[in-house]
Amino acid sequence: MSSEAWSGLRLATVDDTQAFGRRLAAVLRPGDLLLLTGPLGAGKTALVQGIGAGLGVQGAITSPTFVIARVHRPDPARGGAVPLVHADAYRLGDAADPRAEIDDLDLDASADDAVTVVEWGAGLVEQLNDEYLAVRIDRLDDDTRVIDLVPHGGDWAARLEKM
């Protein structure tokens, strides 16, 4: 995927969003941090479902809004080798000190061994890793999803080129 393709990628359906997540999973490795932003219903969880399928993790991936974070263990029968930590900081935004609540989740405890994906995490979890991928998802009136990928540090740009 060339750097021009990192901005304004259009996905027509939820299935396309999940398929893109599977493609993205192919370049992910333990220690990676992804920050997902976008309005409610944009397709953040659908993208994580694709990432989980691509990583071969156990269990159904649903929005962690009410539990805040879930760990999906790898399923060797599905080719899984890396856990997926899926967190949602949406409800933390109203807290007096949302960064303290993020710290209480101990996301950094599994950060080196898992792929960590945080919905609504911008401004809250960047300190978990100097290198991360910001993913912005917007949903148009016709339900098309528009995705922008913004690599921050590390070798993200080189990895995205391989997609």
Side-chain angles (χ1 to χ4, degrees):
M1 172 181 282
S2 70
S3 60
E4 303 85 51
W6 301 346
S7 181
L9 177 67
R10 291 177 176 260
L11 304 170
T13 66
V14 171
D15 289 341
D16 292 339
T17 304
Q18 292 169 337
F20 181 75
R22 286 189 296 278
R23 283 181 50 209
L24 183 56
V27 301
L28 299 178
R29 59 184 179 226
D32 283 345
L33 173 63
L34 285 77
L35 305 182
L36 277 54
T37 59
L40 288 170
K44 295 179 294 297
T45 299
L47 181 68
V48 180
Q49 289 168 340
I51 292 170
L55 291 175
V57 298
Q58 299 174 0
I61 294 177
T62 59
S63 178
T65 298
F66 296 104
V67 296
I68 305 193
R70 286 193 174 96
V71 177
H72 297 273
R73 303 278 176 226
D75 183 349
R78 296 179 62 205
V82 178
L84 171 66
V85 176
H86 181 203
D88 187 330
Y90 181 75
R91 292 188 316 131
L92 302 182
D94 293 334
D97 186 1
R99 286 186 191 211
E101 289 196 38
I102 289 290
D103 288 343
D104 289 345
L105 293 176
D106 284 333
L107 293 177
D108 54 345
S110 60
D112 290 339
D113 301 322
V115 169
T116 302
V117 180
V118 182
E119 298 184 29
W120 304 94
L124 298 173
V125 298
E126 290 89 339
Q127 75 277 3
L128 292 175
N129 197 327
D130 292 334
E131 306 166 0
Y132 62 92
L133 181 65
V135 180
R136 169 76 189 178
I137 305 176
D138 285 302
R139 185 170 161 186
L140 304 178
D141 290 340
D142 66 357
D143 284 342
T144 298
R145 271 78 176 170
V146 179
I147 296 183
D148 296 312
L149 304 176
V150 181
H152 292 268
D155 64 349
W156 278 108
R159 287 197 270 161
L160 293 175
E161 291 289 339
K162 296 177 183 176
M163 285 182 52

